[in-house]
């Protein structure tokens, strides 16, 4: 019986954070690469949907790929690669654009939010990038796409496009399903505890990055927003700052936020323990990243090998899609 196939990716639009690690990367390394045929991708083409510095995109792409390996992804167990190095993503994206409707694209939340903000010109690629995301998933015959709430809409669109294509042209694509793996913590910004800890945020004081030095982590946690109440209580709605700290501590130590709250009679003690737990959690990641960054040839080799394996999986299906719609695939 064929193993379940998983596809997921990270976008190189900022430095990876503690939220990325606790929300997804740790599970990829500890669980997903062992139980499935898993492909993990740095989706650099998606970084071009907004104004960007080309050199920065390259740096962040390499850093993200190196961090995926540093968090424990094993190229002998899973496929780690960069999206733009596998042409099948761009080839299939156009077919997905030809399958989707204008209305479907305009209902996607990221485009609607950006359009509503006004100001800078909105690139056409921001409207159409859900078609590229669908291509990312469908090219590999993906069964499962682990996603958070903010990406579930895109997987639903991908399912719709797969079904529509298959009905029009024949059974080419596997219809994937979104999975909501148990998340250790939905980590919030330490300064804005009602917002997620996002890697693209302009203000960084409340964001713990995977490569932050230990003292930087301690300072950010020490300055985390709490509230005016003196007692430490786990109340995500009424007291989100304290709840965020307790959830981070629970995720790092394996505890339960409500139970942990009872062990503290001051915010100072809680913040100290949270900071040390985060420092120790990230220490091996930072150390392994330093080793890998010092050996760029190894990382390049992993990415080349990953791209070759990904291409071998994707090309037959993408070629079949081209034939199905009446195009001649490459000879």
């Amino acid at each position: 019986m064929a193993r379940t196939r998983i596809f997921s990716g990270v976008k190189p639009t900022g430095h990876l954070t503690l939220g990325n690690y606790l929300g997804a990367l740790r599970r990829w390394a500890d669980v997903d690469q062992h139980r499935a045929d898993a492909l993990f991708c740095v989706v650099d083409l998606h970084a071009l949907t907004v104004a960007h510095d080309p050199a920065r995109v390259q740096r962040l792409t390499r850093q993200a790929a190196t961090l995926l390996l540093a968090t424990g992804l094993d190229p002998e167990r899973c496929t780690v690669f960069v999206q733009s190095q596998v042409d099948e993503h761009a080839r299939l994206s156009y077919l997905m654009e030809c399958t989707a409707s204008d209305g479907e694209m305009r209902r996607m939340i990221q485009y609607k939010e950006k359009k509503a903000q006004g100001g800078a010109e909105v690139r056409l690629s921001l409207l159409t990038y859900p078609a590229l995301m669908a291509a990312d998933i469908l090219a590999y015959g993906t069964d499962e796409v682990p996603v958070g709430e903010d990406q579930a809409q895109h997987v639903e669109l991908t399912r719709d496009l797969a079904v529509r294509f298959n009905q029009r042209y024949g059974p080419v694509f596997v219809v994937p399903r979104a999975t909501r793996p148990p998340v250790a913590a939905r980590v919030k910004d330490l300064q804005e505890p009602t917002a997620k800890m996002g890697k693209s945020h302009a203000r960084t004081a409340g964001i713990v990055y995977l490569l932050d030095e230990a003292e930087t982590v301690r300072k950010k946690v020490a300055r985390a927003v709490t509230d005016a109440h003196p007692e430490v209580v786990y109340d995500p709605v009424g007291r989100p700052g304290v709840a965020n700290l307790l959830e981070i501590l629970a995720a790092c130590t394996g505890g339960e936020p409500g139970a942990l709250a009872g062990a503290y009679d001051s915010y100072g003690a809680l913040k100290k323990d949270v900071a040390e737990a985060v420092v120790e959690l990230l220490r091996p990641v930072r150390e392994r990243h330093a080793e890998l960054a010092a050996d760029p040839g190894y990382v390049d080799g992993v990415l080349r090998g990953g791209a070759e394996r990904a291409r071998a999986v994707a090309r037959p299906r993408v070629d079949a899609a081209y034939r199905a719609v009446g195009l001649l695939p490459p000879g």
Side-chain angles (χ1 to χ4, degrees), residues 4-298:
T4 297
R5 180 164 290 156
I6 292 174
F7 176 92
S8 198
V10 294
K11 186 162 61 174
T13 52
H15 302 288
L16 295 178
T17 72
L18 176 67
N20 297 130
Y21 183 64
L22 293 177
L25 305 186
R26 183 167 65 171
R27 181 178 174 81
W28 294 356
D30 292 350
V31 178
D32 289 341
Q33 69 172 337
H34 300 285
R35 72 175 182 88
D37 178 9
L39 298 100
F40 300 110
C41 180
V42 182
V43 288
D44 54 341
L45 293 175
H46 290 291
L48 310 187
T49 60
V50 296
H52 63 278
D53 171 18
R56 185 171 187 266
V57 170
Q58 285 194 352
R59 289 196 304 272
L60 290 176
T61 297
R62 171 168 284 280
Q63 184 186 91
T66 305
L67 276 169
L68 290 183
L69 300 175
T71 58
L73 293 184
D74 182 352
E76 298 298 318
R77 292 183 174 273
C78 65
T79 302
V80 180
F81 66 105
V82 174
Q83 178 192 35
S84 63
Q85 296 179 355
V86 180
D87 292 345
E88 280 63 33
H89 291 257
R91 289 178 61 210
L92 185 55
S93 179
Y94 183 69
L95 297 194
M96 291 299 100
E97 289 182 15
C98 293
T99 306
S101 71
D102 175 75
E104 285 174 319
M105 295 292 101
R106 294 185 187 279
R107 285 194 293 272
M108 295 293 105
I109 188 65
Q110 281 84 352
Y111 177 78
K112 289 173 65 176
E113 290 178 348
K114 189 74 173 180
K115 190 73 173 176
Q117 292 172 4
E121 183 179 71
V122 178
R123 297 187 178 190
L124 177 62
S125 56
L126 188 65
L127 175 64
T128 61
Y129 94 92
L132 175 58
M133 184 177 291
D136 297 338
I137 297 166
L138 297 179
Y140 297 100
T142 301
D143 299 299
E144 294 183 10
V145 187
V147 292
E149 295 177 6
D150 58 336
Q151 294 296 333
Q153 184 187 36
H154 292 101
V155 180
E156 285 306 308
L157 174 66
T158 299
R159 289 172 54 84
D160 291 343
L161 296 181
V163 169
R164 188 178 306 153
F165 189 100
N166 289 346
Q167 289 174 341
R168 287 178 180 174
Y169 305 113
V172 174
F173 296 119
V174 173
V175 180
R177 61 185 179 275
T179 59
R180 302 288 184 86
V183 177
R186 289 179 172 82
V187 181
K188 304 296 186 180
D189 190 294
L190 297 175
Q191 293 297 315
E192 299 179 58
T194 58
K196 75 174 184 178
M197 187 178 285
K199 62 181 181 295
S200 303
H201 291 183
R203 292 188 290 180
T204 63
I207 303 172
V208 175
Y209 296 105
L210 296 189
L211 297 180
D212 276 347
E213 297 288 343
E215 195 53 38
T216 300
V217 173
R218 294 186 181 102
K219 287 179 179 178
K220 288 180 177 179
V221 174
R223 295 168 182 166
V225 168
T226 51
D227 54 51
H229 298 280
E231 70 276 9
V232 178
V233 176
Y234 181 61
D235 178 3
V237 176
R239 303 174 64 183
V242 180
N244 187 38
L245 291 172
L246 289 167
E247 289 180 356
I248 292 171
L249 182 61
C252 292
T253 63
E256 193 277 321
L260 288 170
Y264 295 95
D265 56 13
S266 73
Y267 294 145
L270 172 61
K271 288 180 175 181
K272 182 177 182 299
D273 282 0
V274 170
E276 293 310 313
V278 172
V279 167
E280 290 308 311
L281 180 76
L282 299 184
R283 188 187 306 279
V285 176
R286 290 179 53 245
E287 291 175 350
R288 179 59 176 151
H289 177 271
E291 294 173 358
L292 291 168
D295 188 3
Y298 171 76

